Amino acid sequence: MTATNAIVIGGGIHGCCTALHLALRGMRPIVLEKNTVGRHASGVNAGGVRQLMRHAAEVPLSMAAMDRWERLDDLLGPKLAKDCEFIGGIGQIGIAASEAEMDWCQTRVAEMRSLGHAFEEVIDAKELRRLVPGAADICRGGIISRRDGHANPFRTTQSFRLRAEQLGVRIMERTRVTGLEQGDGGWTVMTDSGVLRSDIVVNCGGAWAWQVAAMIGEHFPSTHFASTLMVTSRMPHFIDPVVIGIDRVLSFKQTEAGTVVIGGGILGDPDLNAETADTVADRMVVSAQTVYDFFPILRRATIVRSWAGLEALMPDVIPVIGPSQVARNLWHAFGFSGHGFQLGPIVGSVIADLVADGQSAIPIAAFSPARFSAATGTPR
């Protein structure tokens, strides 16, 4: 039987980052991934590194994550940090196309400032066109977080994996957890590749994390979704910021290669059991129409590929981060509901703090697993 002092279930960016930080604290983590590292949400999302328009409870965590993004060299080393292709300080902009949306921007910024957060600003049409010259006349302005940017999600997840391995973390891909038992000697973790023993377990299982929790009798909502993306052929450079919609479905960025990645939350058809998700062309027309309306240059774009990724979705759209409510020495970090990539560099650090010190310097009470009923899995 393989024995270690920490097992992390799930090889997405949060699982790899958690293993990395546990290793930095002297532990010898093993990551168990039923597929391959970064196969689902972590590797196929839009790569937005965004503080903009987040749930208020997530803002402190997101701000701490941004600090880490801006110092990736310290955590990953220069080469792996460069491989993440992180570009910050170009801003993310929520574009307003109506007076009602501009009013919402004003209200949002006022609310954030009342909470002590000044990183969001309202911009008028003139400033929007200075930053995004290709915006159509229907765009009236919007809301911006100038510190934001984007990165390559697959390369970033692989960089965290490689750094973790440099620190001694063992990654076991195509290894599915089939059972968990806790005894006096710690956790026994049954997998389809054998049995392991560990002092602690961290559940970073993404859309399948509720299944891991159910193995110990802890019940969370099983909701999930498939977010779809599409990419164009290469185009002349026309935009630096990442652009998202307010009431309309929209999210896009132009990569260094010139391609434009278009998302915005259009739903695909997920199959959790088969671990696949299909795009639905009829639905993606909605985001394509918004791009068509907002950016005339993209009316000439050719869509060359589309894809979908499976993600966990919590009823209150914020993650579960914290200790199990029914078992000792097991922690959860999942349910990022479509906006967990930017939090990737910090959540593992938070979990390592909880494991080693029993507390986090970043407020995480809103993410407590206790907000769900262990009996029913519904919000309290």
Side-chain angles (χ1 to χ4, degrees):
M1 179 187 297
T2 300
T4 186
N5 49 20
I7 284 179
V8 179
I9 302 173
I13 190 168
H14 296 293
C16 291
C17 183
T18 296
L20 187 163
H21 280 280
L22 291 175
L24 286 172
R25 287 180 172 264
M27 303 185 82
R28 307 182 312 280
I30 295 175
V31 176
L32 303 178
E33 167 54 50
K34 59 183 171 45
N35 202 291
T36 55
V37 167
R39 166 63 183 83
H40 291 289
S42 295
V44 300
N45 65 79
V49 179
R50 171 177 66 85
Q51 298 179 116
L52 182 69
M53 293 166 56
R54 280 190 175 269
H55 190 292
E58 281 188 345
V59 169
L61 196 64
S62 179
M63 293 173 68
M66 193 60 76
D67 291 340
R68 299 294 177 94
W69 279 102
E70 293 171 345
R71 296 185 288 111
L72 281 178
D73 281 17
D74 296 345
L75 186 61
L76 301 178
K79 182 183 183 306
L80 292 177
K82 183 179 180 181
D83 288 348
C84 297
E85 299 179 3
F86 169 61
I87 301 174
I90 56 175
Q92 293 220 9
I93 302 173
I95 289 187
S98 69
E99 200 58 39
E101 288 182 327
M102 285 300 297
D103 289 344
W104 180 87
C105 294
Q106 296 283 2
T107 301
R108 162 77 184 185
V109 169
E111 289 175 351
M112 292 296 289
R113 296 200 174 191
S114 72
L115 297 173
H117 306 308
F119 59 84
E120 292 181 351
E121 307 168 33
V122 175
I123 57 173
D124 59 16
K126 182 179 178 181
E127 175 66 356
L128 175 63
R129 287 183 176 75
R130 186 185 74 80
L131 296 167
V132 188
D137 291 341
I138 63 170
C139 301
R140 298 184 176 212
I143 182 171
I144 186 172
S145 172
R146 297 182 189 271
R147 193 181 180 189
D148 296 357
H150 59 77
N152 183 314
F154 181 77
R155 287 179 175 272
T156 299
T157 303
Q158 296 305 318
S159 289
F160 276 84
R161 174 219 179 119
L162 292 170
R163 181 59 181 142
E165 289 180 316
Q166 289 175 355
L167 293 169
V169 173
R170 180 183 176 190
I171 308 282
M172 296 177 64
E173 295 179 302
R174 303 198 183 284
T175 301
R176 182 182 301 274
V177 174
T178 57
L180 286 170
E181 291 181 359
Q182 189 174 34
D184 293 339
W187 287 99
T188 300
V189 182
M190 282 72 77
T191 79
D192 55 7
S193 299
V195 179
L196 299 90
R197 186 203 163 279
S198 178
D199 298 333
I200 72 162
V201 171
V202 183
N203 175 19
C204 298
W208 297 266
W210 64 275
Q211 295 178 346
V212 174
M215 293 176 186
I216 59 169
E218 189 166 20
H219 298 287
F220 291 97
S222 60
T223 46
H224 57 276
F225 72 108
S227 183
T228 63
L229 295 160
M230 49 188 163
V231 63
T232 72
S233 58
R234 294 184 180 185
M235 303 187 66
H237 177 78
F238 70 96
I239 188 169
D240 288 318
V242 179
V243 175
I244 63 178
I246 295 178
D247 286 337
R248 298 184 65 168
V249 174
L250 172 69
S251 168
F252 81 82
K253 67 176 183 181
Q254 187 170 28
T255 68
E256 291 288 292
T259 59
V260 179
V261 179
I262 303 170
I266 294 295
L267 298 179
D269 284 342
D271 187 331
L272 199 66
N273 293 328
E275 301 181 15
T276 61
D278 294 324
T279 60
V280 181
D282 288 349
R283 298 175 194 164
M284 298 180 76
V285 168
V286 176
S287 56
Q289 181 64 51
T290 304
V291 168
Y292 184 95
D293 292 343
F294 282 9
F295 294 94
I297 189 173
L298 284 169
R299 296 172 187 175
R300 303 194 300 271
T302 300
I303 303 299
V304 297
R305 187 167 67 93
S306 64
W307 67 93
L310 277 165
E311 304 192 35
L313 177 67
M314 306 313 294
D316 50 10
V317 204
I318 56 175
V320 172
I321 302 173
S324 165
Q325 300 299 293
V326 304
R328 292 174 290 104
N329 296 328
L330 189 147
W331 287 264
H332 300 293
F334 65 90
F336 293 90
S337 305
H339 39 84
F341 178 65
Q342 188 263 352
L343 304 177
I346 194 66
V347 169
S349 175
V350 168
I351 291 294
D353 289 343
L354 293 176
V355 169
D357 306 326
Q359 60 185 354
S360 169
I362 302 170
I364 57 170
F367 312 130
S368 171
R371 73 185 192 273
F372 296 101
S373 163
T376 65
T378 55
R380 284 176 173 169

